[in-house]
Amino acid sequence: MNRRRFIRLSSGAFLTGLTGGCGGQSSEDNQYEIKVVSDRLQAHQLFQGNVLPLDDVINTDAIIVGGGIAGLAAAAHLGARDYHLFELSDRWGGSSSSQRHGREEFSQGAHYELAYPDYYGAEALGLLERLNVIVFDGIRRMWDFREKQYLIPQSIKSICFDRGQPREGVMPEGEERFLDFLGPYLGRMPLPTRLIEKENRRLNEMTFHEYIRTESELPEPLRRAIDYQMLDDYGSTGDQISALAGVHYYTCRPYYTQKVELFSPPQGNAYFVQKLLDVLPPEQIHLHHMVNNITVEKQGVEVEVSDFAVGRRRRIRCQNVIFAGHKLGLKYILPKLYSFFNQVSYAPWVVLNFVLRDHHRDRSFWQNEWLGKETDFLGFVDSDSQYNPNPKKRVLTAYFCLPEDQRWRLTSLEDPVESKRWASRAMILLNKMFSHPIDNLVEAIYIKAMGHAMPIPKPGYLFRDANDARLYPEIVFAGVDNGRLPLFFEALDSGISAAKLI
């Protein structure tokens, strides 16, 4: 979901017809396919891999664990070196992956990026330039996107439904004082966050709400808006995430002085995944492979890997390991290293893609934000607002972010009855945002459950980099759950930084 809705749209005419009045019941009688993808099911393969037959030892220079943005970026930086990358899933990208339905491809996670100021990290910008993703605008001092067809026009960027009633933005009227309060940090909150000056890192020691209250009280309408946006970006509310994360959200780009391009292909950030894959040797990157165990020896590292495609285990000897996978896996793979990460909090997310068999009559907006009593529901993204030269279907991608203590709710998605209840609840909420029900248009529903989708940047979390205190010099860490904000640019930089260490 998009984040920074301070700049008002020029017209209120889009409100016509979007009354939210239908709001009713979703029919249990409609027939459609529901497909569920769960990272919990994938993680449970850890307990199955150890029973596969074991092959002989092979040798390589480096092993990369995890095929998300960080792992792929690390591989891209290693270039011609001898390495192998292993990803457990059946697709690349992690939380930036996509799904297909016929000819349609759509996001099942992170789904957009914004243009980059010239003071962002040179390493990640350089990689994106080499991938032919961005180009520098010397007049505006911005790195813009090359493929302009994927930019979202300002006129259809978003609409907000506050308790079911449409309005132009998430933030309430009269937010100028809040912006003035954050003004001193404009231009001083770069990405990656490791570049943030030490004098501003004090903001990492308090919550965002606490910091705002040092200036004034937090009115309820403003608190609701801030909490929505923090939940949307960081997986929790302003009373949980750090002040640095909150300030960074609003001041990391020149939103208030110039146009910042919003880039959102139909497949979301899987677009960047494919760009990275295009420069990697296919014989060195492997899906359906799980790292079972890592053992540090005198002469290097031995890694045991299960290949589920052929039903065999392999032992691989290497000099270095870049661990770019989910750090919870260390609990089973290399327990001595897990203790550094056992205090990291993760947000559970559920993404539901509703594939409609034809196009709905309502006007489309890219982001459709929801402010209501259903605080776990953030709204949906509409594929009709994205560039697609041959659109056959319309895809509505709904996002739910659950509290940490409700992660257990995701296990129910593995039951067909419960997954249909999730789909029905989401459809009821979607119907409240359209003038006509969508029930009879649904052809298929894809559900992705991510029990540990992103690290929550609570006070004290940022800048705690496991690479600064490595128990084994041979093993380095990448990924946003290594003291980073849960953002694409951070993941990219973390992979590059880890690869440079070996």
Side-chain angles (χ1 to χ4, degrees), residues 3 43 52 76 78 133 146 155 218 244-245 314 336 355 450:
R3 321 305 193 196
L52 297 177
L78 291 180
V133 170
R146 284 188 175 273
S155 60
L218 188 58
L244 194 145
R314 298 172 181 168
K336 282 186 178 181
V355 181
M450 297 175 282

Side-chain angles (χ1 to χ4, degrees), residues 320-428:
N320 295 102
V321 172
I322 299 176
F323 198 96
H326 205 296
K327 305 307 180 291
L328 282 174
L330 288 169
K331 188 175 182 179
Y332 309 98
I333 298 169
L334 189 54
K336 282 186 178 181
L337 299 185
Y338 176 63
S339 61
F340 188 91
F341 300 97
N342 63 5
Q343 297 302 311
V344 178
S345 299
Y346 294 90
W349 281 71
V350 180
V351 180
L352 298 95
N353 309 105
F354 288 79
V355 181
L356 307 187
R357 61 176 54 90
D358 56 29
H359 293 261
H360 203 271
R361 285 173 285 175
D362 283 347
R363 180 180 175 187
S364 62
F365 288 85
W366 174 70
Q367 173 164 294
N368 301 262
E369 300 162 310
W370 181 263
L371 283 174
K373 63 180 181 179
E374 304 86 354
T375 54
D376 61 342
F377 177 57
L378 298 177
F380 71 94
V381 169
D382 190 341
S383 71
D384 258 14
S385 65
Q386 298 167 314
Y387 172 78
N388 189 340
N390 297 297
K392 299 297 182 183
K393 310 290 182 182
R394 183 177 186 177
V395 182
L396 310 179
T397 300
Y399 290 85
F400 290 81
C401 182
L402 279 60
E404 292 177 80
D405 60 2
Q406 294 186 28
R407 185 173 288 109
W408 59 269
R409 289 172 55 192
L410 272 62
T411 62
S412 67
L413 282 164
E414 297 159 22
D415 182 305
V417 174
E418 291 300 319
S419 64
K420 188 165 185 178
R421 287 177 181 169
W422 268 88
S424 295
R425 181 191 173 218
M427 201 178 307
I428 289 170

Side-chain angles (χ1 to χ4, degrees), residues 78-147:
L78 291 180
R81 287 181 62 176
D82 184 18
Y83 68 86
H84 284 273
L85 184 156
F86 298 109
E87 165 59 40
L88 172 59
S89 177
D90 63 350
R91 68 198 69 190
W92 302 106
S95 60
S96 293
S97 65
S98 63
Q99 179 63 263
R100 286 187 177 274
H101 179 85
R103 294 174 58 184
E104 304 297 320
E105 184 180 9
F106 39 87
S107 173
Q108 285 203 310
H111 58 276
Y112 76 95
E113 261 296 276
L114 294 149
Y116 310 110
D118 64 349
Y119 53 81
Y120 274 29
E123 294 89 347
L125 289 173
L127 176 56
L128 291 172
E129 185 180 24
R130 291 194 298 276
L131 295 175
N132 207 32
V133 170
I134 57 175
V135 61
F136 188 60
D137 182 334
I139 297 176
R140 296 170 50 248
R141 310 301 301 174
M142 295 288 292
W143 287 90
D144 292 331
F145 297 99
R146 284 188 175 273
E147 296 196 67

Side-chain angles (χ1 to χ4, degrees), residues 253-305:
R253 289 176 173 89
Y255 298 113
Y256 320 115
T257 58
Q258 62 177 284
K259 178 183 176 181
V260 177
E261 290 183 347
L262 171 60
F263 184 81
S264 183
Q267 68 270 40
N269 285 10
Y271 167 93
F272 303 106
V273 172
Q274 187 58 54
K275 289 288 187 179
L276 288 162
L277 291 172
D278 287 343
V279 300
L280 301 181
E283 68 275 10
Q284 292 178 227
I285 58 175
H286 314 277
L287 293 172
H288 290 297
H289 283 66
M290 180 181 66
V291 172
N292 305 323
N293 186 62
I294 299 174
T295 305
V296 180
E297 302 174 333
K298 289 184 179 180
Q299 302 302 318
V301 185
E302 183 171 295
V303 179
E304 183 183 289
V305 180

Side-chain angles (χ1 to χ4, degrees), residues 189 191 193-194 196 200-201 203-205 234 241-246 248 455-465 480 482-486 490:
M189 287 288 160
L191 284 173
T193 48
R194 61 181 175 83
I196 292 175
N200 292 325
R201 296 188 180 191
L203 296 174
N204 190 43
E205 305 305 320
Y234 301 137
I241 63 102
S242 73
L244 194 145
H248 192 281
I456 301 172
K458 294 183 177 181
Y461 168 75
L462 292 172
F463 315 115
R464 192 170 183 269
D465 186 346
V480 294
N482 185 33
R484 304 281 193 132
L485 288 176
E490 286 271 70

